[in-house]
Amino acid sequence: MAFSAEESKLVSIFIQTLLYGAYTVLFSITCWILIEKRPRGQPINRTMLGISLIMFVLATMHIGVNFTRIIKAFIIFQDAPGGPGAFFNELSEFTQIFGSTIYVAQTLVGDSVVLFRAYLVWDRRISVIAFPCLLLLGSAVTGGGILYSFARVVPEANIFVVELSQWIVAFFSMTLATNIICTTLVAYRIWYINRKSISFSEQSLRPIMLLVIESGAIYSATLTALLILYKTQSWFQYVILDAISPIVGLVFSMVIVRIGLGLTTANGETDEFSQVSTLQVSQSYHHGEKSHEHGEKIEVGSFVRQERSQSSTSV
Protein backbone atom coordinates (compact mmCIF):
# COMPACT_ATOMS: atom_id res chain seq x y z
CA MET A 1 0.00 0.00 0.00
CA ALA A 2 1.38 3.38 -1.01
CA PHE A 3 2.09 6.00 1.63
CA SER A 4 -0.03 9.14 1.67
CA ALA A 5 1.49 12.57 2.32
CA GLU A 6 0.34 12.66 5.95
CA GLU A 7 1.52 9.11 6.66
CA SER A 8 4.92 9.86 5.15
CA LYS A 9 5.31 13.02 7.26
CA LEU A 10 4.52 11.10 10.45
CA VAL A 11 7.11 8.45 9.60
CA SER A 12 9.61 11.11 8.56
CA ILE A 13 9.38 13.07 11.82
CA PHE A 14 9.95 9.82 13.75
CA ILE A 15 13.02 8.87 11.71
CA GLN A 16 14.38 12.41 11.77
CA THR A 17 13.98 12.60 15.56
CA LEU A 18 15.96 9.36 16.02
CA LEU A 19 18.74 10.54 13.72
CA TYR A 20 18.76 14.00 15.29
CA GLY A 21 19.19 12.41 18.73
CA ALA A 22 22.19 10.43 17.47
CA TYR A 23 23.54 13.57 15.81
CA THR A 24 23.18 15.56 19.04
CA VAL A 25 25.31 13.02 20.90
CA LEU A 26 27.93 12.94 18.14
CA PHE A 27 27.92 16.74 17.87
CA SER A 28 28.66 16.99 21.61
CA ILE A 29 31.56 14.56 21.22
CA THR A 30 32.81 16.54 18.22
CA CYS A 31 32.83 19.79 20.20
CA TRP A 32 34.62 18.07 23.09
CA ILE A 33 37.26 16.73 20.71
CA LEU A 34 37.79 20.06 18.96
CA ILE A 35 37.88 22.10 22.18
CA GLU A 36 39.14 19.85 24.97
CA LYS A 37 41.02 16.99 23.30
CA ARG A 38 43.19 18.98 20.96
CA PRO A 39 46.98 18.67 21.40
CA ARG A 40 48.41 20.87 24.12
CA GLY A 41 49.42 24.27 22.80
CA GLN A 42 47.42 23.89 19.60
CA PRO A 43 44.73 26.56 19.07
CA ILE A 44 41.10 25.61 18.61
CA ASN A 45 40.33 24.75 15.01
CA ARG A 46 37.78 27.50 14.48
CA THR A 47 37.02 26.44 10.91
CA MET A 48 35.98 22.90 11.83
CA LEU A 49 34.17 24.09 14.95
CA GLY A 50 32.33 26.75 12.96
CA ILE A 51 31.22 24.26 10.30
CA SER A 52 30.04 21.86 13.02
CA LEU A 53 28.01 24.60 14.70
CA ILE A 54 26.44 25.77 11.43
CA MET A 55 25.41 22.22 10.55
CA PHE A 56 23.95 21.57 13.99
CA VAL A 57 22.02 24.86 14.04
CA LEU A 58 20.56 24.16 10.58
CA ALA A 59 19.61 20.60 11.57
CA THR A 60 17.96 21.92 14.76
CA MET A 61 16.03 24.56 12.84
CA HIS A 62 14.93 21.99 10.27
CA ILE A 63 13.51 19.54 12.80
CA GLY A 64 11.88 22.45 14.64
CA VAL A 65 10.11 23.53 11.44
CA ASN A 66 8.99 19.94 10.77
CA PHE A 67 7.49 19.61 14.26
CA THR A 68 5.70 22.91 13.69
CA ARG A 69 4.27 21.59 10.43
CA ILE A 70 3.13 18.36 12.11
CA ILE A 71 1.34 20.33 14.85
CA LYS A 72 -0.30 22.69 12.37
CA ALA A 73 -1.40 19.86 10.05
CA PHE A 74 -2.80 17.44 12.61
CA ILE A 75 -4.09 19.87 15.24
CA ILE A 76 -4.71 23.35 13.86
CA PHE A 77 -5.82 22.35 10.33
CA GLN A 78 -7.16 18.91 11.19
CA ASP A 79 -10.75 19.81 10.23
CA ALA A 80 -9.85 22.08 7.31
CA PRO A 81 -10.94 21.03 3.80
CA GLY A 82 -8.65 18.24 2.65
CA GLY A 83 -7.30 17.67 6.15
CA PRO A 84 -3.55 17.35 6.94
CA GLY A 85 -2.77 16.14 3.43
CA ALA A 86 -4.00 19.39 1.92
CA PHE A 87 -1.84 21.37 4.35
CA PHE A 88 1.29 19.43 3.38
CA ASN A 89 0.54 20.07 -0.29
CA GLU A 90 0.27 23.83 0.23
CA LEU A 91 3.73 24.60 -1.13
CA SER A 92 3.50 28.37 -0.76
CA GLU A 93 2.80 28.09 3.00
CA PHE A 94 5.47 29.88 5.08
CA THR A 95 6.77 26.87 7.01
CA GLN A 96 7.09 24.90 3.77
CA ILE A 97 9.22 27.60 2.14
CA PHE A 98 11.22 28.24 5.32
CA GLY A 99 11.92 24.53 5.84
CA SER A 100 12.94 24.13 2.21
CA THR A 101 15.28 27.13 2.53
CA ILE A 102 16.97 25.48 5.51
CA TYR A 103 17.28 22.22 3.57
CA VAL A 104 18.84 23.94 0.54
CA ALA A 105 21.27 25.83 2.79
CA GLN A 106 22.31 22.70 4.65
CA THR A 107 22.72 20.77 1.41
CA LEU A 108 25.02 23.48 0.04
CA VAL A 109 27.05 23.49 3.27
CA GLY A 110 27.34 19.69 3.18
CA ASP A 111 28.33 19.68 -0.48
CA SER A 112 30.91 22.39 0.18
CA VAL A 113 32.47 20.31 2.96
CA VAL A 114 32.63 17.21 0.74
CA LEU A 115 34.15 19.31 -2.03
CA PHE A 116 36.67 20.86 0.33
CA ARG A 117 37.73 17.43 1.64
CA ALA A 118 38.41 16.29 -1.92
CA TYR A 119 40.36 19.50 -2.52
CA LEU A 120 42.52 18.87 0.54
CA VAL A 121 43.29 15.18 -0.02
CA TRP A 122 44.32 15.95 -3.58
CA ASP A 123 46.90 18.45 -2.36
CA ARG A 124 44.77 21.51 -3.11
CA ARG A 125 44.66 20.91 -6.86
CA ILE A 126 42.07 23.25 -8.33
CA SER A 127 41.94 21.24 -11.56
CA VAL A 128 40.67 18.17 -9.70
CA ILE A 129 37.64 19.94 -8.22
CA ALA A 130 36.87 22.38 -11.06
CA PHE A 131 33.89 20.39 -12.39
CA PRO A 132 32.42 19.66 -8.91
CA CYS A 133 32.67 23.41 -8.22
CA LEU A 134 30.50 24.08 -11.26
CA LEU A 135 28.02 21.47 -10.04
CA LEU A 136 27.92 23.15 -6.63
CA LEU A 137 27.19 26.47 -8.31
CA GLY A 138 24.44 24.78 -10.30
CA SER A 139 22.98 23.35 -7.07
CA ALA A 140 22.82 26.85 -5.61
CA VAL A 141 21.01 28.18 -8.71
CA THR A 142 18.51 25.31 -8.90
CA GLY A 143 17.94 25.50 -5.14
CA GLY A 144 16.98 29.13 -5.56
CA GLY A 145 14.72 28.11 -8.44
CA ILE A 146 12.90 25.64 -6.19
CA LEU A 147 12.21 28.26 -3.54
CA TYR A 148 11.05 30.77 -6.15
CA SER A 149 8.72 28.18 -7.69
CA PHE A 150 7.26 27.31 -4.29
CA ALA A 151 6.25 30.93 -3.81
CA ARG A 152 4.74 31.18 -7.30
CA VAL A 153 3.03 27.79 -7.72
CA VAL A 154 -0.77 27.55 -7.78
CA PRO A 155 -2.36 26.53 -4.44
CA GLU A 156 -3.73 23.18 -5.66
CA ALA A 157 -0.39 21.99 -7.08
CA ASN A 158 1.56 19.21 -5.34
CA ILE A 159 5.28 18.62 -5.07
CA PHE A 160 5.38 16.54 -8.28
CA VAL A 161 4.01 19.12 -10.75
CA VAL A 162 6.13 19.77 -13.83
CA GLU A 163 6.96 23.38 -12.92
CA LEU A 164 8.57 22.15 -9.71
CA SER A 165 9.92 18.78 -10.78
CA GLN A 166 12.29 20.29 -13.32
CA TRP A 167 13.97 22.39 -10.65
CA ILE A 168 13.86 19.65 -8.00
CA VAL A 169 15.26 16.90 -10.24
CA ALA A 170 18.01 19.26 -11.41
CA PHE A 171 18.86 20.16 -7.80
CA PHE A 172 18.91 16.54 -6.60
CA SER A 173 20.90 15.42 -9.66
CA MET A 174 23.56 18.11 -9.28
CA THR A 175 24.06 17.59 -5.56
CA LEU A 176 24.15 13.81 -6.13
CA ALA A 177 26.71 14.21 -8.92
CA THR A 178 28.81 16.48 -6.70
CA ASN A 179 28.82 13.93 -3.91
CA ILE A 180 29.46 10.91 -6.13
CA ILE A 181 32.39 12.60 -7.85
CA CYS A 182 33.91 13.92 -4.62
CA THR A 183 33.27 10.63 -2.79
CA THR A 184 34.98 8.74 -5.60
CA LEU A 185 37.94 11.13 -5.54
CA VAL A 186 38.33 10.79 -1.78
CA ALA A 187 37.84 7.00 -1.76
CA TYR A 188 40.31 6.52 -4.61
CA ARG A 189 42.86 8.71 -2.86
CA ILE A 190 42.45 6.69 0.35
CA TRP A 191 42.83 3.43 -1.56
CA TYR A 192 45.77 4.67 -3.62
CA ILE A 193 47.78 5.81 -0.62
CA ASN A 194 46.97 2.68 1.39
CA ARG A 195 46.73 0.07 -1.37
CA LYS A 196 49.59 -1.98 0.09
CA SER A 197 48.24 -2.06 3.61
CA ILE A 198 44.44 -2.34 3.31
CA SER A 199 43.39 -5.95 3.77
CA PHE A 200 39.97 -6.79 2.32
CA SER A 201 39.34 -10.20 3.82
CA GLU A 202 36.31 -12.23 2.87
CA GLN A 203 35.32 -12.65 6.50
CA SER A 204 35.50 -9.01 7.52
CA LEU A 205 33.69 -6.03 6.06
CA ARG A 206 35.19 -3.62 8.58
CA PRO A 207 37.74 -2.08 6.18
CA ILE A 208 34.99 -1.44 3.65
CA MET A 209 32.73 0.07 6.31
CA LEU A 210 35.47 2.44 7.44
CA LEU A 211 36.20 3.44 3.86
CA VAL A 212 32.50 4.17 3.33
CA ILE A 213 32.32 6.27 6.51
CA GLU A 214 35.50 8.19 5.62
CA SER A 215 34.50 8.92 2.05
CA GLY A 216 30.94 10.02 2.83
CA ALA A 217 29.32 7.41 0.60
CA ILE A 218 26.46 7.10 3.09
CA TYR A 219 25.30 10.58 2.13
CA SER A 220 25.58 9.82 -1.59
CA ALA A 221 23.53 6.62 -1.17
CA THR A 222 20.82 8.57 0.67
CA LEU A 223 20.67 11.15 -2.12
CA THR A 224 20.35 8.36 -4.69
CA ALA A 225 17.37 6.88 -2.82
CA LEU A 226 15.79 10.34 -2.58
CA LEU A 227 16.09 11.00 -6.31
CA ILE A 228 14.63 7.59 -7.19
CA LEU A 229 11.68 8.04 -4.84
CA TYR A 230 10.93 11.51 -6.17
CA LYS A 231 11.09 10.38 -9.81
CA THR A 232 8.62 7.58 -9.01
CA GLN A 233 6.36 10.20 -7.36
CA SER A 234 6.40 8.41 -4.03
CA TRP A 235 5.35 10.37 -0.96
CA PHE A 236 7.91 8.29 0.95
CA GLN A 237 10.49 10.70 -0.44
CA TYR A 238 9.56 12.95 2.51
CA VAL A 239 11.07 10.34 4.87
CA ILE A 240 14.44 10.41 3.07
CA LEU A 241 14.31 14.16 2.55
CA ASP A 242 13.90 14.90 6.26
CA ALA A 243 16.46 12.25 7.22
CA ILE A 244 19.15 13.96 5.13
CA SER A 245 19.27 16.93 7.53
CA PRO A 246 20.89 15.02 10.44
CA ILE A 247 22.73 12.61 8.12
CA VAL A 248 24.78 15.49 6.68
CA GLY A 249 26.00 16.40 10.15
CA LEU A 250 26.50 12.77 11.22
CA VAL A 251 28.79 11.99 8.29
CA PHE A 252 30.88 15.12 8.89
CA SER A 253 31.13 14.49 12.64
CA MET A 254 32.16 10.83 12.17
CA VAL A 255 35.39 11.90 10.50
CA ILE A 256 36.33 14.32 13.29
CA VAL A 257 35.45 11.78 16.01
CA ARG A 258 37.62 9.11 14.36
CA ILE A 259 40.61 11.42 14.43
CA GLY A 260 40.00 12.65 17.97
CA LEU A 261 39.44 9.22 19.50
CA GLY A 262 42.59 7.84 17.94
CA LEU A 263 40.88 5.55 15.44
CA THR A 264 43.08 7.32 12.93
CA THR A 265 46.56 8.15 14.19
CA ALA A 266 48.88 10.98 13.26
CA ASN A 267 50.38 8.90 10.45
CA GLY A 268 46.97 7.78 9.26
CA GLU A 269 46.91 4.25 10.69
CA THR A 270 43.89 2.76 12.40
CA ASP A 271 43.42 -0.18 14.71
CA GLU A 272 41.62 -2.05 11.94
CA PHE A 273 43.96 -1.34 9.04
CA SER A 274 46.47 1.21 7.89
CA GLN A 275 44.46 4.20 6.79
CA VAL A 276 45.32 7.68 5.66
CA SER A 277 42.49 9.89 6.78
CA THR A 278 41.14 12.59 4.56
CA LEU A 279 42.13 14.95 7.34
CA GLN A 280 45.78 13.92 7.08
CA VAL A 281 47.49 13.33 3.73
CA SER A 282 51.18 12.76 3.13
CA GLN A 283 53.20 12.96 -0.04
CA SER A 284 56.87 12.51 -0.73
CA TYR A 285 58.97 14.59 -3.06
CA HIS A 286 62.65 14.76 -4.05
CA HIS A 287 63.70 17.64 -6.29
CA GLY A 288 60.15 17.79 -7.65
CA GLU A 289 59.92 13.99 -8.00
CA LYS A 290 58.40 11.40 -5.65
CA SER A 291 60.92 9.63 -3.42
CA HIS A 292 61.18 7.81 -0.12
CA GLU A 293 63.66 10.19 1.42
CA HIS A 294 61.80 13.47 1.93
CA GLY A 295 58.19 14.09 2.70
CA GLU A 296 55.70 16.84 3.09
CA LYS A 297 52.84 16.25 5.50
CA ILE A 298 49.63 18.19 5.21
CA GLU A 299 47.84 18.38 8.54
CA VAL A 300 44.36 19.25 7.35
CA GLY A 301 42.77 18.91 10.79
CA SER A 302 44.64 21.95 12.00
CA PHE A 303 45.25 23.41 8.53
CA VAL A 304 48.96 23.52 9.27
CA ARG A 305 51.53 22.43 6.73
CA GLN A 306 54.71 20.88 8.02
CA GLU A 307 57.72 19.57 6.20
CA ARG A 308 59.71 16.72 7.58
CA SER A 309 62.46 14.33 6.52
CA GLN A 310 62.05 10.58 6.66
CA SER A 311 64.48 7.77 6.25
CA SER A 312 63.38 4.46 4.74
CA THR A 313 63.80 1.45 7.00
CA SER A 314 63.05 -2.17 6.26
CA VAL A 315 61.26 -4.30 8.80
Side-chain angles (χ1 to χ4, degrees):
M1 181 179 176
F3 275 75
S4 63
E6 49 265 48
E7 289 171 337
S8 295
K9 291 301 290 187
L10 285 175
V11 174
S12 73
I13 196 64
F14 175 72
I15 298 298
Q16 186 180 15
T17 301
L18 292 179
L19 291 173
Y20 179 77
Y23 179 34
T24 300
V25 174
L26 201 57
F27 170 74
S28 301
I29 297 174
T30 300
C31 290
W32 172 71
I33 287 172
L34 291 174
I35 297 173
E36 299 294 336
K37 209 175 184 297
R38 71 186 189 280
R40 181 173 298 179
Q42 179 178 310
I44 295 176
N45 190 327
R46 298 182 184 277
T47 302
M48 288 293 183
L49 184 60
I51 294 173
S52 298
L53 288 172
I54 290 173
M55 286 187 170
F56 186 74
V57 169
L58 289 174
T60 302
M61 292 173 64
H62 194 269
I63 195 173
V65 170
N66 278 347
F67 269 113
T68 301
R69 288 178 59 75
I70 291 292
I71 293 171
K72 292 182 72 173
F74 290 98
I75 298 178
I76 300 176
F77 294 101
Q78 179 181 6
D79 299 324
F87 173 78
F88 289 128
N89 280 329
E90 191 178 343
L91 302 178
S92 59
E93 201 270 334
F94 172 75
T95 56
Q96 169 68 31
I97 296 179
F98 186 51
S100 298
T101 302
I102 295 172
Y103 172 77
V104 170
Q106 190 169 25
T107 298
L108 294 177
V109 172
D111 289 357
S112 298
V113 171
V114 173
L115 182 63
F116 191 55
R117 288 176 63 202
Y119 170 69
L120 291 174
V121 301
W122 282 91
D123 299 327
R124 295 174 167 82
R125 299 179 193 171
I126 299 294
S127 58
V128 174
I129 63 162
F131 184 62
C133 281
L134 292 177
L135 289 174
L136 181 62
L137 180 61
S139 296
V141 173
T142 53
I146 292 173
L147 301 177
Y148 178 78
S149 298
F150 277 173
R152 303 269 301 181
V153 74
V154 294
E156 61 271 13
N158 63 34
I159 194 72
F160 302 113
V161 295
V162 176
E163 302 95 287
L164 290 173
S165 65
Q166 294 174 343
W167 287 109
I168 293 175
V169 170
F171 177 77
F172 286 163
S173 299
M174 287 186 181
T175 188
L176 176 60
T178 302
N179 278 273
I180 288 178
I181 292 173
C182 292
T183 293
T184 302
L185 288 172
V186 171
Y188 174 77
R189 188 67 165 173
I190 293 171
W191 172 84
Y192 178 78
I193 296 175
N194 297 273
R195 64 192 182 282
K196 294 182 180 179
S197 55
I198 295 180
S199 175
F200 292 95
S201 65
E202 295 180 358
Q203 292 78 20
S204 176
L205 292 177
R206 184 171 295 179
I208 299 176
M209 290 170 61
L210 288 174
L211 189 61
V212 166
I213 291 173
E214 184 73 17
S215 64
I218 298 172
Y219 182 36
S220 297
T222 306
L223 287 172
T224 302
L226 176 60
L227 182 58
I228 292 173
L229 287 171
Y230 183 80
K231 286 295 292 181
T232 57
Q233 297 191 3
S234 170
W235 290 108
F236 199 75
Q237 58 100 15
Y238 276 132
V239 178
I240 306 298
L241 182 69
D242 292 339
I244 284 181
S245 179
I247 285 176
V248 172
L250 280 167
V251 170
F252 175 76
S253 298
M254 282 178 184
V255 178
I256 297 178
V257 169
R258 281 187 59 202
I259 300 297
L261 295 182
L263 299 178
T264 301
T265 61
N267 62 0
E269 294 184 354
T270 69
D271 292 337
E272 290 81 6
F273 62 100
S274 294
Q275 166 77 26
V276 172
S277 166
T278 56
L279 298 184
Q280 295 165 328
V281 181
S282 298
Q283 265 199 325
S284 297
Y285 298 92
H286 179 66
H287 298 299
E289 301 290 333
K290 292 183 178 178
S291 74
H292 298 291
E293 300 298 328
H294 301 282
E296 181 184 51
K297 179 176 180 182
I298 303 172
E299 187 82 14
V300 178
S302 58
F303 298 101
V304 175
R305 177 171 296 219
Q306 298 175 329
E307 292 193 0
R308 60 184 175 83
S309 298
Q310 298 177 338
S311 60
S312 300
T313 57
S314 51
V315 181

